[in-house]
Amino acid sequence: MALMTPEIQEKLLQLLTDEGLIAQTQIEEAKAESASVNKPILSVLSDKGILDEELLTHATAQVSGVPYVNLGTSIVDEKILELLPQDIAERFMAVPLAEVQNRLAVAMIDANNVQAVDYLSNRIQRPLKVFMASETSVRHILDQYKADLSGVDAAAVQSEEDASKEKASNIKTIVQDSPISRALSTILEYAVKTRASDIHIEPLEGSLKIRCRVDGVLREIMQLPKSIEPALVSRIKILSSLKIDEHRTPQDGQFAIAVADKEVDLRIAISPVVWGEQVVIRLLDKSGNSFDLEEMGYAGRGLRTIRKGVKRPNGMILTSGPTGSGKSTSLYALIKEIKDDSVNIVTLEDPVEYKMQGVNQIQVNAEVGLTFASGLRSILRQDPDVVMVGEIRDKETAELAVQAALTGHLVFSTLHTNSAAGVLPRLIDMGIEPFLIASTVNTIIGQRLVRRVAKKRDTYNSTPIETQNIHATIGHLLPQSKDVVTQISQDLGYKDLPLAGQSAYTLVKGKDTPQTPRGYLGRAGLYEVMDVTEEIQNLIVKRATSAEIQKVAIAQGMITMRQDGYLKSLGGVTTLEEVNRVAADTA
């Protein structure tokens, strides 16, 4: 909260009273409390919830004669942010906004601080146009500063100088403030700030390539000298408690870091490749997931099918999809849906990605013999109601999961297949008898992840080819007349669906900015949810193909991933281009 003189404070309270935003009795009570606890009166009013932060800042700006700005949803261009270094911005809680007539517009918490304004003006060698903003607004812009990767290059140069003095076998002596440690910290910080899910450190013949996967798409962020590779890989091995002298076999590990007030778990996979050792780091932000089915993109028929499935006392609910399609996240959402003090939920995971209160989570550890299969045997002796197995990888685990479902447990698990229907032949391929699959599997979820269109967006009319694809994919699902729009929209779980047979449909595309590459920000799921009905059970027993099973499921009302994606495109969630990218091989 900005510092202010008693005169400005009195003017502010008078303004708030005159505008009817606060009662005189509330001011008197706050003054009494302020005197007793030795705390500013405005802080007392704010703590009590009488004054909103933005309202207070706006009123303060008005009585101070300083223009006010609310930056809650603003995104500042990266080139503008570079005009005021991040350390200076954080020290003065001042952020650049734009260039206005040869002056730099700057938002500050304490816009009345003349000395601070003069210092900033001298520091960047240009006059300022100062606005007053709340602390929340300023921090929103501060979060848009990306980690400066130039420090990594400096560390690489330092590492080259050190390489001649220190052999690779002595790398374990590297200390926390070494150039390599700073370089790794900067890369990790950059990845967290750009919401990356993975970091790829890939050795080439003459250099070291660093790539980050943001919203499911890999992008190269820099290349480093080849000489930095041994030290950087060894530093990661040390933090992950791996063997630094082992270069011939793959190693897996994990450690955690704290960046920007977030605790992030890192899963490390190191593999020998032709030009050295490749490192892939998976980032798991424990603060960024609500595990809410609706927020994840489940809707309409699919959501109703899932909720019917989790209410059953036994059987199996399986999620399927390629690596990184959010299968584990779906399982956590299902657990959250049924979590209750009356239910004993035990999970077996490799690794435990998110820790949930009230759930007994077991970490697989093959080194001591705790595999999915042996762990599952142990779990069944712990009187569980619900069992979650991270992944069915082999015949033994599949058989035990089926036995658990047959003996009165509700089992959640995942499989790597391309569609929901593909799960059933995959289990048969693992050696599970078709009649056992038919009698245990209740619900199957197939899923993929697409990038969401950012809030800054434009609308446009679909091209003839796009319109043709919409008609072919979901034309039969869209309402045929205005009378049934509401009914069908509610059934499918999407608001205000357009009528079928139009010559063009309204679609959206995001604006390409540094914060929203190619107009996307965040991801949403595409889902197909199959209810294993009696007709599908008969097909399983007859060892039908996945195509035959899929055909019957669609006839019974299942929305496929591709159809779900097209419906989400019409609803402004994503683009047809993105749906076609991830679901081109599905029906």
Side-chain angles (χ1 to χ4, degrees):
M1 193 175 293
L3 297 172
M4 61 180 71
T5 63
E7 292 80 12
I8 289 181
Q9 182 173 288
E10 283 303 319
K11 283 183 182 178
L12 176 60
L13 291 172
Q14 188 62 50
L15 173 66
L16 293 169
T17 308
D18 293 345
E19 293 292 331
L21 298 170
I22 187 170
Q24 189 63 42
T25 53
Q26 290 175 312
I27 292 177
E28 297 304 327
E29 289 171 6
K31 281 182 177 177
E33 186 173 334
S34 170
S36 64
V37 298
N38 194 24
K39 197 173 183 181
I41 183 172
L42 293 175
S43 296
V44 172
L45 290 167
S46 183
D47 291 345
K48 286 176 171 291
I50 296 170
L51 283 182
D52 171 71
E53 183 188 21
E54 289 299 334
L55 173 66
L56 181 57
T57 306
H58 196 171
T60 306
Q62 191 168 334
V63 297
S64 303
V66 179
Y68 160 81
V69 62
N70 185 341
L71 306 171
T73 58
S74 300
I75 295 176
V76 177
D77 189 276
E78 202 170 344
K79 291 178 182 176
I80 298 294
L81 292 176
E82 289 171 359
L83 297 175
L84 189 63
Q86 184 175 1
D87 58 332
I88 301 292
E90 288 177 345
R91 192 196 319 168
F92 289 94
M93 290 303 285
V95 290
L97 303 178
E99 292 182 284
V100 182
Q101 296 175 346
N102 212 23
R103 292 195 294 173
L104 181 65
V106 173
M108 301 176 65
I109 291 179
D110 192 5
N112 294 313
N113 189 334
V114 179
Q115 290 89 344
V117 173
D118 286 344
Y119 174 83
L120 291 172
S121 181
N122 291 328
R123 179 74 168 73
I124 61 176
Q125 291 294 300
R126 62 197 303 180
L128 304 182
K129 168 70 173 172
V130 180
F131 292 82
M132 186 175 288
S134 66
E135 182 177 349
T136 303
S137 279
V138 171
R139 291 199 182 280
H140 173 70
I141 304 300
L142 285 173
D143 287 343
Q144 293 172 28
Y145 276 93
K146 290 185 178 179
D148 183 7
L149 288 172
S150 61
V152 180
D153 288 318
V157 173
Q158 182 67 42
S159 175
E160 286 187 273
E161 293 174 0
D162 293 346
S164 59
K165 304 173 187 175
E166 186 172 15
K167 294 182 180 178
S169 59
N170 293 328
I171 297 240
K172 58 187 175 186
T173 62
I174 291 175
V175 292
Q176 183 59 40
D177 60 350
S178 70
I180 292 299
S181 296
R182 292 199 300 274
L184 178 60
S185 296
T186 305
I187 291 169
L188 293 175
E189 184 181 345
Y190 178 87
V192 171
K193 285 195 172 184
T194 54
R195 301 173 298 99
S197 60
D198 301 86
I199 304 168
H200 289 236
I201 301 172
E202 301 167 329
L204 306 176
E205 185 176 7
S207 62
L208 188 66
K209 183 163 70 174
I210 313 292
R211 295 195 289 172
C212 284
R213 188 181 295 277
V214 179
D215 291 338
V217 179
L218 271 173
R219 292 188 187 87
E220 183 177 323
I221 60 169
M222 67 188 315
Q223 287 206 12
L224 297 172
K226 181 73 173 173
S227 58
I228 201 175
E229 182 203 336
L232 187 62
V233 174
S234 291
R235 180 64 190 155
I236 293 169
K237 286 180 178 178
I238 289 167
L239 291 170
S240 312
S241 302
L242 301 177
K243 298 174 184 175
I244 63 168
D245 57 347
E246 177 57 75
H247 306 289
R248 297 167 301 171
T249 60
Q251 297 188 77
D252 295 331
Q254 61 187 68
F255 64 96
I257 58 168
V259 177
D261 299 325
K262 292 180 180 178
E263 190 179 343
V264 182
D265 279 343
L266 307 176
R267 285 163 49 186
I268 314 299
I270 300 178
S271 300
V273 292
V274 174
W275 302 114
E277 289 180 278
Q278 179 189 23
V279 181
V280 177
I281 303 173
R282 168 67 57 88
L283 293 91
L284 299 167
D285 181 359
K286 294 190 280 189
S287 63
N289 234 314
S290 64
F291 301 119
D292 183 89
L293 289 170
E294 281 97 340
E295 284 183 20
M296 288 164 59
Y298 287 98
R301 297 175 190 173
L303 184 59
R304 291 193 294 274
T305 302
I306 287 174
R307 289 194 163 138
K308 185 177 80 172
V310 296
K311 286 178 181 174
R312 293 180 181 175
N314 53 53
M316 294 177 72
I317 297 178
L318 301 173
T319 65
S320 69
T323 302
S325 60
K327 298 187 297 295
S328 298
T329 306
S330 284
L331 291 187
Y332 282 112
L334 295 180
I335 287 174
K336 185 189 173 190
E337 190 79 9
I338 60 169
K339 189 160 68 83
D340 188 83
D341 284 343
S342 64
V343 179
N344 179 22
I345 303 171
V346 186
T347 76
L348 190 62
E349 304 171 60
D350 182 22
V352 174
E353 294 187 9
Y354 300 96
K355 297 172 180 67
M356 295 186 83
Q357 292 289 333
V359 178
N360 302 300
Q361 295 171 277
I362 300 172
Q363 167 82 51
V364 167
N365 187 348
E367 288 183 8
V368 297
L370 180 53
T371 62
F372 277 118
S374 64
L376 194 45
R377 284 195 188 91
S378 166
I379 284 176
L380 296 178
R381 294 192 288 272
Q382 295 176 19
D383 185 33
D385 298 295
V386 179
V387 175
M388 192 262 263
V389 183
E391 186 182 343
I392 294 177
R393 294 178 179 171
D394 51 43
K395 180 181 179 180
E396 190 179 9
T397 309
E399 287 176 341
L400 287 165
V402 168
Q403 290 301 320
L406 283 170
T407 52
H409 304 91
L410 188 59
V411 179
F412 298 156
S413 193
T414 69
L415 275 169
H416 284 270
T417 62
N418 287 331
S419 65
V423 166
L424 303 167
R426 177 84 179 97
L427 288 172
I428 293 174
D429 185 50
M430 282 183 170
I432 307 300
E433 289 294 335
F435 72 90
L436 290 175
I437 299 170
S439 56
T440 55
V441 179
N442 297 337
T443 311
I444 305 170
I445 304 165
Q447 64 184 79
R448 304 282 170 89
L449 291 178
V450 290
R451 291 176 289 177
R452 286 181 183 269
V453 176
K455 288 184 179 177
K456 281 197 171 182
R457 53 177 64 186
D458 295 317
T459 58
Y460 72 99
N461 288 329
S462 58
T463 64
I465 292 177
E466 288 174 332
T467 303
Q468 184 181 338
N469 287 338
I470 290 169
H471 289 160
T473 307
I474 56 172
H476 63 289
L477 296 174
L478 296 177
Q480 302 296 321
S481 67
K482 291 183 179 180
D483 301 338
V484 292
V485 167
T486 303
Q487 178 189 337
I488 291 179
S489 295
Q490 288 175 349
D491 177 47
L492 296 177
Y494 297 95
K495 292 180 182 177
D496 305 324
L497 286 173
L499 293 177
Q502 294 186 19
S503 58
Y505 294 88
T506 302
L507 301 173
V508 298
K509 58 183 176 182
K511 293 184 177 179
D512 190 3
T513 71
Q515 286 74 32
T516 58
R518 297 193 64 187
Y520 297 105
L521 183 66
R523 288 194 285 179
L526 306 186
Y527 305 100
E528 57 186 27
V529 184
M530 180 188 294
D531 188 14
V532 181
T533 60
E534 189 175 339
E535 193 174 349
I536 290 175
Q537 287 175 343
N538 292 334
L539 287 175
I540 296 168
V541 172
K542 293 174 184 175
R543 296 177 181 262
T545 64
S546 57
E548 291 170 328
I549 293 169
Q550 174 108 341
K551 188 175 180 182
V552 171
I554 291 171
Q556 293 177 348
M558 182 182 83
I559 305 295
T560 67
M561 282 184 277
R562 190 176 176 84
Q563 290 169 345
D564 187 35
Y566 273 57
L567 289 167
K568 284 185 165 83
S569 297
L570 293 179
V573 175
T574 187
T575 62
L576 292 181
E577 176 191 16
E578 185 68 3
V579 174
N580 292 333
R581 179 180 72 85
V582 304
D585 60 336
T586 62

